[in-house]
DNA sequence: TATGAATGAGAGTTCATTCAT
DNA sequence: CATGAATGAACTCTCATTCAT
């Protein structure tokens, strides 16, 4: 029945929420199924009525987080209505807001998480990450072509920007003196300037030791 | 006597080296004392002749890495012989080289590692991190005061720079198209520009939602 | 009403059939209620609408198998119309056919199964086995008395014959070079000769170490 | 040191002995590592200092039992010093004694055990069984060729004999009225007569339905 | 210094079973 | 009749760690 399905879906979500929180606070390995079940208010074995194992829990959390992050900026990949600068601003703003938003975790979990996934699932998650990177790089390349940015290497610049976004979760405190907005503003300016008058792309022909 | 001490020290180093490598590759939790002992060529219990427990191994590795990283840039904190720009260049270059150098690990281990330390040791490690941050921020502040950089918030800017440095370990491949030098050069330029014509520091009086 | 009862009976039979097959292929302990339900095409809890627990399933299968086997040869126990030799031939033939027939299992399951039954049910199953043994021994004794067989110990001889019949299920392959008929013929001859000129019954007075 | 090695070997043997006994009494699946450790007088985890998992325990027990059984009759395979009849007598006697001897189990465990072994180990165990069958059949074939036995099918006859031997463990009671010797004597006579004037081998050309 | 035996805690997972719907 | 949620017990196995030798 509908109510049953709803209940089921709600329980699934609850488990994911508690797991996400615990994974973030204690780490994946240190979080036991018992912990998660306890946080949900039922017995460990019941978790297995919703997820087939701990790894699947991790996978769903990572996937969900990445999907959300991608869908948040997907429209920026090919967007002729806005300038690359404007697209960069939106990309950073939306990302920072997502990362610092109420749904913790999933970001740093990524590095550790990959080690805990089966090859098949690891591959899928990496595909998501690649999709994310693609958008980021496209905006950068468009800015380079339009002359808004300097002749930067889109991969390196992309890594730098992603690094800033990703790690903002680590040092951000919601009770700190700065709001997510302020941080996003600052980071946008910082990155924009970094891109604007940057050195040209590194010479790829020589790789000195 | 001396040789015995030397041998002991050499064993200790060997254990730390293997542990560092394994912690990086498999993660702290997934690395067992058995793994480490196996990599060293002896039995698990022997590890306890050199270290009192697994946590101490983690602590030593984190401490050693941070100490090295700090000592690498300590002279830049108060350095009137060079301009802030020059000091920033050296700071980034040396850090990138350290992070991408042959001694893997300890960088990302940091986040996960903190969770696994006793409060006392966690405090010590955080002190190291603070010392590191202090240097970073001092260079930035000096550049702001000298007018070389814009009026940026030294903490935020420091976080951004540290993020880039820290995560370079994740995406850097020693077999990739770019050398550590090229990456360091690019990142320096990127960061320098980010600092130079950055927006002024966020208005700290209002924290809008 | 009738159709409902019929349907119910059909479901019961289906469960027993799938369980029998699975018990034979995977073993009782390795077969889960989930396995059985899955083979039937419904959910585990539904099994409990037909049987009160797993042990009852086992019991029914064992009982059914033994009942069938006994009913197959019951007429041979006291049969003055045929000679003991002829009765032995029919006994072996019918048993071999039953054991090698399409309904697998229940034979070897016996040994393992006993361990998994409650004392009350174990007792019942043993009673069936005893009834089976009684028929077997009666035929042998009649043959001894009539002079058709040598003075063999009816228990020992019975065990030997039962062993051959029981284990034929293990090594018989329906795709092998021999048919059930051929095997039955051979075994009858083998056993008949074994009984015919056998040594006299062991001297029961002395039991040497 | 020697004493340490001795202790180790003794513990290993103790574990195998207790496991063999328990597997026989309760069955493989119903016997937990806890049971075995408890019978040995130490904690469950210590079992893993001697065996890598439960399956290995099973494998060692099966292997050891089969090896012993084979080595017991290996000399009979090609033995020109004794007549086939005499070789058959020794084969049955030695086997019955082994099977009914103080070292219980491993015999019936075979059928159930195979299901619990990894493919690689299952293959090895089957090789042992085949080696055993080979000896059995060779003695039969030699008897057929020498004219001591009738023209029986060596495979079928072998199965019959093996069945009797294997299952004797099930119904034999050391406190019963018959000694192992008496049983062995009877079975030898029974089998010998079965072979002597047996029907000729089944006609392999036609396999009637 | 190095080892093997032993431990105790705890992990993930499976399973038979119950019960309300 | 059939299901999904939930349980509690149990199981195999891993791990960090200790200790006597």
């Amino acid at each position: 029945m509908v109510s049953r399905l709803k209940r089921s879906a709600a329980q699934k979500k609850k488990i994911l929420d508690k797991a996400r929180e615990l994974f973030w606070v204690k780490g994946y390995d240190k979080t036991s199924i018992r912990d998660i079940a306890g946080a949900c208010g039922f017995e460990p074995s019941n978790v297995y009525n919703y997820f087939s194992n701990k790894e699947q829990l991790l996978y769903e959390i990572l996937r969900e987080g990445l999907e959300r992050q991608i869908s948040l900026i997907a429209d920026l990949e090919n967007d002729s209505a806005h300038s690359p600068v404007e697209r960069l601003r939106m990309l950073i703003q939306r990302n920072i807001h997502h990362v610092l938003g109420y749904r913790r975790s999933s970001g740093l979990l990524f590095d550790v998480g990959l080690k805990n996934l089966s090859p098949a699932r690891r591959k899928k998650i990496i595909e998501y990450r690649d999709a994310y990177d693609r958008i980021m790089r496209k905006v950068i390349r468009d800015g380079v072509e339009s002359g808004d940015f300097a002749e930067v290497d889109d991969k390196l610049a992309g890594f730098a920007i992603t690094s800033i976004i990703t790690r903002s979760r680590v040092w951000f405190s919601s009770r700190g003196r700065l709001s997510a907005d302020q941080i996003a503003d600052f980071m946008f300016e910082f990155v924009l300037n970094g891109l604007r008058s940057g050195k040209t792309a590194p010479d790829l022909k020589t790789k000195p030791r």
Side-chain angles (χ1 to χ4, degrees), chain A:
Chain A
M1 258 171 253
V2 175
S3 66
R4 214 184 242 177
L5 279 179
K6 257 191 205 161
R7 176 162 170 65
S8 177
Q11 286 285 61
K12 233 180 147 154
K13 188 172 166 323
K14 187 179 187 181
I15 296 172
L16 282 177
D17 284 345
K18 299 295 188 185
R20 192 187 301 108
E21 172 74 12
L22 284 164
F23 287 170
W24 171 252
V25 175
K26 307 180 57 170
Y28 176 76
D29 286 287
K30 290 275 191 291
T31 301
S32 70
I33 295 285
R34 268 173 185 83
D35 290 335
I36 297 167
C40 292
F42 45 62
E43 298 297 315
S45 43
N46 196 29
V47 172
Y48 292 88
N49 285 323
Y50 299 91
F51 298 91
S52 52
N53 49 37
K54 196 182 171 188
E55 187 218 334
Q56 201 203 332
L57 229 35
L58 173 62
Y59 173 72
E60 298 290 355
I61 289 170
L62 286 175
R63 188 185 54 73
E64 192 196 57
L66 279 167
E67 258 180 11
R68 198 179 298 256
Q69 213 168 342
I70 289 170
S71 73
L72 220 55
I73 59 168
D75 61 309
L76 301 176
E77 186 169 12
N78 298 300
D79 175 355
S80 48
H82 298 91
S83 72
V85 171
E86 186 60 15
R87 283 156 68 200
L88 179 70
R89 194 185 58 74
M90 291 191 284
L91 187 151
I92 291 179
Q93 260 184 358
R94 293 180 195 167
N95 263 296
I96 293 268
H97 269 96
H98 170 256
V99 165
L100 303 187
Y102 74 110
R103 285 284 180 86
R104 321 278 282 300
S105 148
S106 85
L108 271 202
L109 196 53
F110 185 84
D111 303 310
V112 177
L114 279 190
K115 293 192 215 299
N116 290 290
L117 291 178
S118 67
R121 280 178 172 152
R122 180 159 45 231
K123 195 168 158 252
K124 284 209 167 188
I125 291 297
I126 287 179
E127 282 168 11
Y128 279 108
R129 191 197 54 187
D130 290 346
Y132 176 84
D133 285 346
R134 216 184 48 231
I135 300 172
M136 172 76 76
R137 292 172 188 172
K138 182 59 163 43
V139 173
I140 295 172
R141 273 205 313 281
D142 284 356
V144 170
E145 279 177 23
S146 70
D148 287 305
F149 306 155
E151 291 272 343
V152 297
D153 183 278
D154 61 331
K155 277 186 190 143
L156 274 188
F159 282 140
I161 298 170
T162 306
S163 300
I164 293 173
I165 292 169
T166 302
R167 288 197 68 79
S168 65
R169 212 189 309 252
V170 178
W171 42 261
F172 173 73
S173 159
S174 59
R175 291 188 306 277
R177 76 200 148 90
L178 298 178
S179 70
D181 270 325
Q182 290 173 310
I183 289 171
D185 282 354
F186 174 85
M187 290 305 169
F188 166 62
E189 293 290 335
F190 183 87
V191 162
L192 179 60
N193 290 321
L195 292 174
R196 254 182 186 152
S197 33
K199 193 186 175 188
T200 55
D203 184 356
L204 304 183
K205 282 161 206 137
T206 62
K207 178 179 170 184
R209 286 272 144 199

